[in-house]
Amino acid sequence: MITKCLSFFMCMLILVSASGCGSLFSGTSETVNINSNPEKAKVMINGGYMGLTPLTLSLSRDKDYNILVKKEGYEEASAVLSRKFNAVALLNTIGLLCWVVDFVTGGLWKFDRNNVGVELEPVKKAELKNSFQDLRLVLAP
């Protein structure tokens, strides 16, 4: 009976020490909501198309993200989704391995916000008109 309890305890110790506390308790990804006014704007994250607003994504917390929101007839808007320290990682009292696991998997971090909202400004008609006039000047003989 004692050997079974000891075996169980050792298995649990190995399991806990092989996974960091940040990874274990808060995961390695986070849900982020991206909204715009007006809706149905294209969302690009780190240069890749992700979908149209409103958009809900699960993003890995192992890096920061550059978010670009754009829609025809409107100025582009951008935002940065940054990481900050995940206080749950302070539970990594078992050893260095837990800190390494959390660092590699992203469990050491959390995002500075879960909701990104942008207000898209219409392109001014005067700017559009001037850009067409410049185009005609270049093409004129």
Side-chain angles (χ1 to χ4, degrees):
M1 178 70 172
I2 293 177
T3 55
K4 284 184 181 182
C5 288
L6 187 56
S7 296
F8 176 75
F9 177 73
M10 291 302 291
C11 287
M12 293 305 292
L13 184 62
I14 290 170
L15 179 66
V16 170
S17 66
S19 60
C21 285
S23 303
L24 187 64
F25 292 116
S26 59
T28 60
S29 63
E30 199 166 330
T31 301
V32 177
N33 301 305
I34 303 171
N35 297 292
S36 69
N37 185 23
E39 294 183 342
K40 305 293 184 207
K42 293 180 182 178
V43 177
M44 310 287 285
I45 296 183
N46 291 348
Y49 175 76
M50 302 304 288
L52 299 174
T53 59
L55 184 63
T56 300
L57 299 168
S58 179
L59 298 175
S60 175
R61 292 188 302 221
D62 61 348
K63 61 183 171 185
D64 294 340
Y65 293 92
N66 294 311
I67 301 171
L68 180 67
V69 180
K70 56 186 178 178
K71 184 172 179 137
E72 181 96 19
Y74 292 87
E75 298 286 340
E76 295 179 350
S78 62
V80 176
L81 190 60
S82 300
R83 299 172 295 164
K84 63 181 183 178
F85 182 72
N86 186 358
V88 173
L90 292 174
L91 298 174
N92 287 333
T93 57
I94 294 173
L96 181 63
L97 180 61
C98 293
W99 286 100
V100 171
V101 168
D102 277 352
F103 181 79
V104 171
T105 63
L108 193 61
W109 312 107
K110 65 180 182 176
F111 290 128
D112 59 348
R113 56 191 162 167
N114 295 94
N115 295 299
V116 176
V118 296
E119 187 77 29
L120 297 174
E121 298 292 328
V123 173
K124 294 179 177 81
K125 291 182 182 180
E127 290 176 11
L128 286 175
K129 185 177 177 183
N130 288 338
S131 65
F132 286 123
Q133 287 175 349
D134 292 343
L135 183 62
R136 277 190 238 127
L137 291 174
V138 172
L139 296 177

